[in-house]
Amino acid sequence: MKSFTQVTGLVAPMDRANVDTDMIIPKQFLKSIKRTGFGKNLFDELRYLDEGQPDQDCSHRPLNPNFPLNQRRYQGSTVLLARANFGCGSSREHAPWALEDFGFRCVIAPSFADIFYNNCFKNGLLPVVLPEPVVEKLFQQLYANDGYQLTVDLEAQAVTTPDGEVFTFEVDDFRKHCLLKGLDDIGLTLEQADAIKAYEAKRRQEAPWLFDAVKAETAKR
Amino acid sequence: MSARTLYDKLWDSHVVQQRDDGSALIYIDRHIIHEVTSPQAFEGLRLAGRKPWRVDSILATPDHNVPTTQKERASGVAGIEDPVSLIQVQTLDDNCDAYGIVEFKINDARQGIVHIIGPETGACLPGMTVVCGDSHTATNGALGALAHGIGTSEVEHVLATQCLVSKKMKNMLVEVNGTLGVGVTPKDVILAIIGKIGTAGANGHALEFGGDVFRNMSMEGRMTVCNMAIEAGARAGMVAVDDTTIDYVRGRMFAPKGEDWEKAVASWQDLHSDPGAVFDKVVTLRAEDIEPQVSWGTSPEMVGPVGAKVPDPAAESDPAKRESMVRALEYMGLKAGQPIESIKLDRVFIGSCTNARIEDMRAAAQVVKGRRKADSVKEAMVVPGSGAVKAQAEAEGLDKIFLDAGLEWREPGCSMCLAMNADKLGAGEHCASTSNRNFEGRQGYGGRTHLVSPAMAAAAAIAGHFVDVRDFVEGGQA
C-alpha cells in the first residue's frame, strides 16, 4: 500500500455538495481491468465538453473552461477542497484510483460517504474531515489567493494554511499507522491467521449450514 | 447482557478480534463477486502469491456489463459486442475457473444481478455477514443479515483473509407505522425516507427499518427498501427476522435442510433489536403520509409526491441546497413550479437490483395489461433481475402482457440502471426508472433519470408522462 506522511501543495476547489462517485469517474471507464490510468477521466463529464470513451486519447477533447481543474491557476494541484458528503453513491474504488492517478494526495471536506472514505486509505489518498465553517473559510482563502497552498501532515493530524493557522483533524489510529508506513493490511491480517481459524472452527460447529452449501449444492445439479 | 440492537448482535457474533482503537477484525460468511470490481482484486492476490481463504464462501456472476438483448446473448461471452465489456466478463470467468469458485455464467439459467440472486438462491441467509464490491449489497439486510458494499482493495482483503478490518457503526432506526395506501409501494416508502433524511442522513450508521409497515411488507419489498439504504448514506440497511423471513428462506437452493434447518431457524429467533435497545438516531414517518414518489433532481433526496410541483429553489433557505437545486433543474431541463405530471418521458426502464424481482414484474404487468405504450415513449424495457425471475414471469405470462403493451422483454442484468452495456439514455432524454440513482449521467451521458416504483413507471409508459398510479388503476386510462 502507498504511504502518506505529509504534503504541501496547490489546492483545487470542488465546490458542490454530494459529489457522487459516478461524477468522479463515470461508469464507462469501470470496464478496465487495471488499477491505473483513470486520472485522465477524473470528473470526465464536468471536465470535457464531449462524451468520453474508454481507451481514448483525451489530449484533443474539448475542455470545459469553467471547470477549475482546466484552469491555469489550479494546474499541478495535490489537495482537493470539497463540500459535504463527498464520494457518495457507488462503492467503486475507481474513484480514489482516479483522484490519485490525477495527482491528488489529499481531499478535504466537511464529511465523506463511508465507503469512499474507507477506500481512500487503501490507496495512499488521505481524506481529511474539517468542520463546515473551517472548510468554508478555506474556500474563501483559496478563491482570494492565486497559488494557494496547504500543508497536510498526517503524523501531526494537522492542516496548516499559508498564514500559519493550524486546524487539527481526527483519524483512526490503525488507519493512520497503516497509511504512514504504507503497510500491507492483508499481510497484517494474515498475521492473525490462528485467530481467524479458531473463530471459523467454532462457527462451523455452531452453524454448519454457513459452510460448503454453495459448492456442494452446485456440484449436485 | 444489556439490550442490543439487531446490528449490535450481528456485529458481536462476527468479531474475530477486537482492537484497542475501536476497530475489529470481522469474519465474513458470504462473499458475492461480479466482473467490475473483482479483476484488480484477483490480480493483487496473484501478485502477492496469495490464494482465496475459503472458496466455498464465494458466489460469482456477471451482471453489470452483460447485454440484455436475446440476439447479443445468444452466443454467450463471445457474443458480447463491446470488446472492453467482453474482456471484463471473460476475466471473471477465468478467475473463477482458476480458483474453483462457483460462478453462474452469462447464460446460466441462475445468472442474474448479484443482489437478486443472493437471497433468491439462499446463498445469503439471516445472521450472516455478506459483502460484495457493490454498494447495493445492503439489499441482503432484508434477511436480517449484516450486508454492505466494499471497495476492490477490501474484496482482495476478504478473498485473502475471510475478514474485514472494520469499525463499528452507530445505530439508526427508521420507524414507519400505520397502513400504506393502495398504490403506495416499498419503493415509495424508501424514496420518502430519503427525501426526509437526505442522502447523508444515515452516514456512519447501520440503518434498521422498523414498525408495522416493514413487518407487514413482503421479503421482496424489504429488499427494495434495504437496497437503497446507501442512498440515505448508510452502508448497511436491515430488517429483523420474523415468520415472513423464514418462510422466504425455506427450501431455497443453498438454504439449510433437514436437521440443520431446524437448528438454523432456532438460531435466527434472536435476530431482532431487544426491547429497550438504544439507537443513536431515530426517525419516524407515518405510512398514511406517504404517496407515490417521483424524483425530479439529480440526487435521490430530490424527490416528492407525484401530485406535487417541481420545487422552487428561491424558496430554499440553505444557500448550498439552493445552488444544488438550481443546478439540478438546469441539468434536468425542468422549471420550478412545473407539475411533476407534466414531465414527458422518452424512455422507461423497469429493472435493477432495486426493482427487478417477481413482485415488481407483476406490479408493472398489472398496470400495462390490456393497454398500449404511448407512441411518444421511444422505448420501454423490462429487464428481469435474474434467470429465475425471468422464468417465473414467463410461466405467469407476464412477458406476453409486456410485449402486447409494446414494452420490451429482456435478458437479466443491471442494464440501464448504470448503462455499462448498450442500454442507455441519449442526452436530454427523460426516463421513468425503477433504479436507485438519478445522478448526472448515470443512465447515459446527459440522460435525465426520474426514480419511481415499477407501477408508476408502467403507468408513465402508457400515459407518456407521469401520472398518479392510484387514479390510473381505479379510473381507467389517463
Side-chain angles (χ1 to χ4, degrees):
Chain A
M1 194 160 85
K2 246 186 205 128
S3 68
F4 182 103
T5 47
Q6 195 199 62
V7 66
T8 297
L10 278 177
V11 184
M14 188 62 205
D15 198 353
R16 55 158 94 184
N18 298 317
V19 168
D20 56 73
T21 52
D22 274 81
M23 200 180 283
I24 298 172
I25 183 83
K27 70 257 169 194
Q28 63 269 39
F29 308 110
L30 311 190
K31 295 180 188 186
S32 167
I33 57 170
K34 294 180 292 201
R35 269 178 199 259
T36 52
F38 296 101
K40 64 185 166 58
N41 299 112
L42 175 70
F43 298 122
D44 199 86
E45 294 184 3
L46 301 173
R47 209 163 131 199
Y48 302 100
L49 294 170
D50 63 348
E51 182 180 2
Q53 302 302 332
D55 297 329
Q56 179 184 18
D57 174 8
C58 292
S59 60
H60 301 295
R61 293 176 61 193
L63 294 172
N64 173 3
N66 298 321
F67 190 62
L69 296 187
N70 291 332
Q71 294 164 5
R72 188 183 298 251
R73 62 180 289 195
Y74 300 120
Q75 296 311 301
S77 298
T78 50
V79 177
L80 187 67
L81 186 63
R83 297 288 185 182
N85 201 27
F86 188 85
C88 63
S90 157
S91 60
R92 59 188 69 166
E93 196 162 319
H94 311 67
W97 292 341
L99 286 160
E100 197 271 340
D101 192 54
F102 183 84
F104 286 114
R105 301 300 321 280
C106 172
V107 184
I108 300 174
S111 60
F112 291 91
D114 296 351
I115 301 179
F116 175 82
Y117 184 80
N118 217 22
N119 284 341
C120 286
F121 285 94
K122 314 283 186 189
N123 295 285
L125 182 69
L126 178 66
V128 170
V129 178
L130 290 176
E132 196 117 39
V134 172
V135 171
E136 178 57 37
K137 186 176 180 177
L138 296 180
F139 265 105
Q140 285 170 14
Q141 292 182 0
L142 168 61
Y143 287 138
N145 299 286
D146 257 0
Y148 184 78
Q149 297 202 354
L150 287 170
T151 295
V152 182
D153 185 335
L154 177 57
E155 180 61 60
Q157 297 181 215
V159 175
T160 308
T161 71
D163 298 336
E165 199 173 358
V166 178
F167 301 102
T168 56
F169 59 89
E170 294 294 316
V171 59
D172 292 346
D173 292 345
F174 182 71
R175 282 177 166 146
K176 178 179 173 179
H177 173 70
C178 287
L179 196 50
L180 280 172
K181 300 254 159 64
L183 295 177
D184 165 22
D185 58 350
I186 294 178
L188 286 178
T189 299
L190 285 173
E191 287 175 13
Q192 307 306 320
D194 289 345
I196 301 169
K197 283 178 191 158
Y199 173 93
E200 202 164 51
K202 184 166 151 275
R203 191 147 180 81
R204 189 186 276 273
Q205 197 167 27
E206 288 169 0
W209 59 86
L210 297 174
F211 294 79
D212 304 329
V214 167
K215 277 229 125 178
E217 283 297 318
T218 314
K220 275 189 222 162
R221 294 168 198 235
Chain B
M1 197 176 276
S2 59
R4 293 184 299 163
T5 65
L6 171 58
Y7 171 61
D8 292 339
K9 292 177 185 182
L10 290 166
W11 172 270
D12 291 348
S13 62
H14 289 86
V15 174
V16 172
Q17 197 171 63
Q18 182 66 51
R19 293 182 170 156
D20 294 340
D21 72 339
S23 67
L25 212 52
I26 293 294
Y27 189 82
I28 301 304
D29 295 313
R30 178 69 66 225
H31 189 185
I32 313 272
I33 61 176
H34 62 79
E35 78 277 22
V36 178
T37 55
S38 67
Q40 297 88 346
F42 281 109
E43 187 195 26
L45 208 62
R46 267 191 294 271
L47 288 174
R50 293 171 177 141
K51 284 196 164 65
W53 179 281
R54 182 156 81 82
V55 166
D56 76 272
S57 71
I58 311 169
L59 179 63
T61 200
D63 57 2
H64 284 58
N65 272 284
V66 299
T68 61
T69 57
Q70 275 179 4
K71 181 173 163 282
E72 211 179 331
R73 278 289 267 273
S75 33
V77 181
I80 300 176
E81 287 169 15
D82 178 341
V84 196
S85 291
L86 187 151
I87 289 171
Q88 205 165 45
V89 175
Q90 186 63 55
T91 302
L92 180 69
D93 289 0
D94 294 347
N95 283 323
C96 290
D97 291 347
Y99 292 108
I101 292 167
V102 172
E103 182 197 4
F104 296 155
K105 292 190 171 151
I106 183 165
N107 283 346
D108 189 307
R110 300 163 296 186
Q111 177 269 345
I113 304 173
V114 279
H115 313 305
I116 306 258
I117 69 165
E120 179 181 271
T121 58
C124 300
L125 295 170
M128 272 185 169
T129 42
V130 179
V131 295
C132 172
D134 191 293
S135 61
H136 291 112
T137 308
T139 312
N140 298 287
L143 293 157
L146 174 57
H148 62 77
I150 54 177
T152 297
S153 294
E154 288 183 322
V155 170
E156 186 182 337
H157 197 121
V158 175
L159 284 173
T161 71
Q162 211 57 38
C163 290
L164 270 184
V165 177
S166 200
K167 197 168 184 183
K168 199 176 171 196
M169 297 179 268
K170 291 181 183 166
N171 280 290
M172 180 167 175
L173 174 68
V174 170
E175 200 166 27
V176 189
N177 282 309
T179 308
L180 292 175
V182 174
V184 180
T185 70
K187 182 65 166 289
D188 302 305
V189 174
I190 187 62
L191 285 172
I193 291 169
I194 295 163
K196 184 176 168 103
I197 70 175
T199 52
N203 274 12
H205 293 76
L207 184 52
E208 181 174 344
F209 298 97
D212 308 339
V213 163
F214 304 110
R215 289 273 68 83
N216 295 328
M217 198 176 269
S218 70
M219 276 310 290
E220 295 194 357
R222 295 176 190 181
M223 288 176 208
T224 297
V225 170
C226 290
N227 172 274
M228 290 187 73
I230 186 71
E231 269 62 63
R235 291 180 78 174
M238 59 194 74
V239 176
V241 169
D242 59 12
D243 289 347
T244 305
T245 322
I246 290 166
D247 289 344
Y248 175 88
V249 175
R250 185 183 288 115
R252 295 197 178 261
M253 191 185 345
F254 302 133
K257 313 263 175 346
E259 197 184 319
D260 271 354
W261 171 254
E262 301 304 327
K263 275 168 68 183
V265 170
S267 76
W268 296 339
Q269 298 303 319
D270 190 42
L271 294 174
H272 54 80
S273 291
D274 295 328
V278 179
F279 288 87
D280 300 280
K281 210 168 170 179
V282 178
V283 173
T284 55
L285 279 81
R286 267 168 34 100
E288 291 75 10
D289 294 340
I290 301 175
E291 297 182 64
Q293 303 282 305
V294 179
S295 75
W296 48 265
T298 53
S299 162
E301 70 185 25
M302 296 174 170
V303 68
V306 59
K309 294 185 164 70
V310 173
D312 187 352
E316 173 59 54
S317 55
D318 178 343
K321 276 195 177 160
R322 187 163 59 234
E323 205 181 310
S324 306
M325 286 171 74
V326 169
R327 192 162 21 211
L329 294 190
E330 192 190 331
Y331 180 85
M332 295 297 289
L334 298 175
K335 290 193 175 61
Q338 173 181 355
I340 297 279
E341 295 196 341
S342 72
I343 300 170
K344 293 191 170 63
L345 282 324
D346 301 289
R347 291 180 197 269
V348 173
F349 171 62
I350 298 171
S352 86
C353 57
T354 313
N355 281 128
R357 297 176 189 83
I358 191 64
E359 290 174 11
D360 301 315
M361 302 291 112
R362 289 177 190 144
Q366 192 189 348
V367 172
V368 303
K369 189 173 186 177
R371 297 181 162 117
R372 281 293 297 176
K373 173 183 78 67
D375 289 340
S376 57
V377 174
K378 290 177 216 168
E379 183 180 52
M381 61 167 86
V382 187
V383 186
S386 69
V389 172
K390 181 167 187 268
Q392 177 65 31
E394 289 175 354
E396 295 178 20
L398 305 184
D399 56 327
K400 296 277 186 311
I401 294 174
F402 292 127
L403 292 168
D404 288 348
L407 279 66
E408 293 179 26
W409 180 243
R410 298 290 191 97
E411 299 296 311
C414 298
S415 181
M416 209 203 273
C417 173
L418 87 168
M420 275 188 81
N421 67 357
D423 309 339
K424 55 184 81 166
L425 297 181
E429 288 181 344
H430 286 271
C431 178
S433 178
T434 67
S435 56
N436 39 56
R437 290 184 176 136
N438 51 350
F439 299 152
E440 290 182 21
R442 169 84 179 179
Q443 292 193 291
Y445 185 77
R448 294 162 170 169
T449 303
H450 300 275
L451 304 175
V452 288
S453 73
M456 284 287 289
I462 303 301
H465 57 88
F466 285 113
V467 283
D468 189 330
V469 72
R470 294 171 298 186
D471 302 338
F472 197 82
V473 172
E474 286 161 26
Q477 188 146 346

